[in-house]
């Protein structure tokens, strides 16, 4: 199972941690894992490459762990855009978890 934990600070998403393999299918053919990975990669590209922010990102493929944390220093506009992107990711992953509840768990702390 893949566990996704969104971490909030002052009512906004500040970080997320993802761990575990979904187990829906074997590596390379797991569409649930591919859906998660694609959404997470798009989110990271939007924030780091398009907005140019220096988010703290850790990817450990061997142990199936991804950690993402927004930078502390951002303009008001950057914060607003990041929240829109992160809320979209959160919504997408919650909908995916509703379709595949035995393979994905989304938590919020």
């Amino acid at each position: 199972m893949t566990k996704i934990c969104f971490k909030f600070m002052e009512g906004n998403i500040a970080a997320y941690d993802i761990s575990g393999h979904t187990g829906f299918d074997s590596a390379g053919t797991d569409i649930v894992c591919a859906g998660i990975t694609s959404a997470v990669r798009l989110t990271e590209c939007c924030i780091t490459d398009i907005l140019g922010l220096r988010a703290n990102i850790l990817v450990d493929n061997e142990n199936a762990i991804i950690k993402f944390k927004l930078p502390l220093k951002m303009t008001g506009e950057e914060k607003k855009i990041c929240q829109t992107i992160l809320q979209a990711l959160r919504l997408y992953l919650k909908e995916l978890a509703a379709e595949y509840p035995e393979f994905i768990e989304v938590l919020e702390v």
Side-chain angles (χ1 to χ4, degrees), residues 27-100:
T29 59
D30 191 327
I31 62 169
V32 179
C33 182
I36 294 169
T37 301
S38 179
V40 167
R41 294 291 310 268
L42 177 62
T43 300
E44 292 171 1
C45 286
C46 286
I47 292 172
T48 60
D49 298 332
I50 303 300
L51 292 176
L53 298 174
R54 296 184 55 111
N56 185 359
I57 302 168
L58 168 74
V59 178
D60 179 349
N61 290 322
E62 186 175 321
N63 295 304
I65 295 171
I66 299 171
K67 293 179 179 272
F68 177 93
K69 184 176 180 183
L70 284 174
L72 294 176
K73 293 185 179 185
M74 293 184 285
T75 67
E77 186 65 18
E78 289 169 339
K79 288 178 187 178
K80 183 177 177 182
I81 293 169
C82 285
Q83 287 309 299
T84 299
I85 295 166
L86 290 169
Q87 289 293 349
L89 175 66
R90 180 179 150 271
L91 176 62
Y92 170 76
L93 292 174
K94 287 181 88 168
E95 289 178 358
L96 197 60
E99 289 182 51
Y100 301 96

